[in-house]
């Protein structure tokens, strides 16, 4: 189900205009914390930084959004589309109902301004119950900011009300 939902993203990659490149480097594959290539993976590093800051206790959400989210940011998670303002409100509300303590990144595949990531955020809800989710996303960056995310979130452990997104 998760892979089917990303068909649109795959088609975007497949159908995009070919970029002019002076090299034929393969995309960066990161397994856990190990970069399988020698080339740097700046957007993988940036994605991890964004989530570590946005889920930090006492996070200044406004500051994180101004630094890392493009003004034209949009996302589609489990079929629910949000613009930047809607996602901002979602993050503020999420801070009141749960705390993410750790994110286990399994795989990240980065190619220029695009990346796919599979990761597992773990935390607790407002009642102290464990929440664990599986997240599969396609991300686009413009400069050093996120401009688009498309993906699926599946709740592995926790209550349905703990689900980050509908679906």
């Amino acid at each position: 189900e998760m892979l089917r939902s990303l068909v649109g993203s795959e088609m975007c990659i497949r159908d995009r205009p070919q970029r002019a490149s002076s090299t034929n480097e393969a995309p960066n594959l990161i397994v856990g914390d190990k970069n399988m290539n020698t080339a740097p993976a700046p957007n993988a590093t940036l994605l991890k930084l964004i989530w570590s800051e946005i889920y930090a206790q006492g996070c200044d959400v406004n500051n994180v959004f101004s630094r890392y989210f493009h003004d034209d940011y949009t996302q589609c998670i489990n079929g629910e589309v949000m613009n930047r303002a809607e996602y901002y409100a979602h993050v503020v509300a999420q801070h009141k109902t749960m705390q993410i303590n750790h994110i286990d990144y399994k795989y990240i595949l980065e190619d220029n301004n695009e990346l796919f990531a599979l990761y597992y955020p773990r935390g607790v809800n407002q009642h102290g119950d464990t929440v664990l989710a599986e997240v599969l996303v396609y991300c686009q960056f413009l400069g050093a900011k996120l401009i688009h995310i498309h993906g699926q979130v599946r709740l592995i452990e926790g209550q349905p009300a703990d689900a980050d997104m509908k679906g």
Side-chain angles (χ1 to χ4, degrees), residues 97-98 123-133 153-167:
T97 60
M98 75 172 57
V124 294
N125 66 16
Q126 60 194 358
H127 306 293
D129 300 324
T130 298
V131 177
L132 174 63
V153 174
R154 179 176 68 95
L155 188 64
I156 296 172
E157 188 175 342
Q159 300 301 315
D162 298 327
D164 185 29
M165 298 289 167
K166 294 179 179 126

Side-chain angles (χ1 to χ4, degrees), residues 8 18 29 33 55 57 73 82 131 139:
Q18 293 298 315
L29 174 62
D33 289 328
Y55 290 123
Q57 280 192 325
Y73 174 81
M82 291 185 186
V131 177
C139 303

Side-chain angles (χ1 to χ4, degrees), residues 35-158:
N35 189 340
M36 306 308 279
N37 300 11
T38 57
N43 289 323
T45 301
L46 182 59
L47 183 71
K48 290 178 178 182
L49 178 64
I50 292 169
W51 293 155
S52 71
E53 288 191 24
I54 211 161
Y55 290 123
Q57 280 192 325
C59 164
D60 179 351
V61 177
N62 191 52
N63 184 25
V64 172
F65 265 70
S66 66
R67 286 193 340 238
Y68 300 122
F69 288 83
H70 193 276
D71 289 342
D72 295 326
Y73 174 81
T74 59
Q75 71 174 33
C76 178
I77 302 292
N78 295 1
E80 183 174 329
V81 178
M82 291 185 186
N83 63 29
R84 187 177 191 265
E86 292 165 332
Y87 183 58
Y88 178 91
H90 168 79
V91 169
V92 169
Q94 187 182 48
H95 274 259
K96 295 175 184 173
T97 60
M98 75 172 57
Q99 177 183 338
I100 302 299
N101 299 321
H102 177 74
I103 301 176
D104 182 16
Y105 294 90
K106 291 295 183 187
Y107 300 101
I108 299 176
L109 181 63
E110 178 178 331
D111 189 17
N112 291 318
N113 69 330
E114 302 173 306
L115 69 78
F116 280 93
L118 174 63
Y119 57 93
Y120 295 84
R122 178 182 290 275
V124 294
N125 66 16
Q126 60 194 358
H127 306 293
D129 300 324
T130 298
V131 177
L132 174 63
E134 178 181 60
V135 181
L136 179 61
V137 293
Y138 162 74
C139 303
Q140 288 180 312
F141 294 85
L142 185 60
K145 293 189 175 191
L146 265 171
I147 191 163
H148 183 70
I149 292 179
H150 183 96
Q152 285 289 117
V153 174
R154 179 176 68 95
L155 188 64
I156 296 172
E157 188 175 342

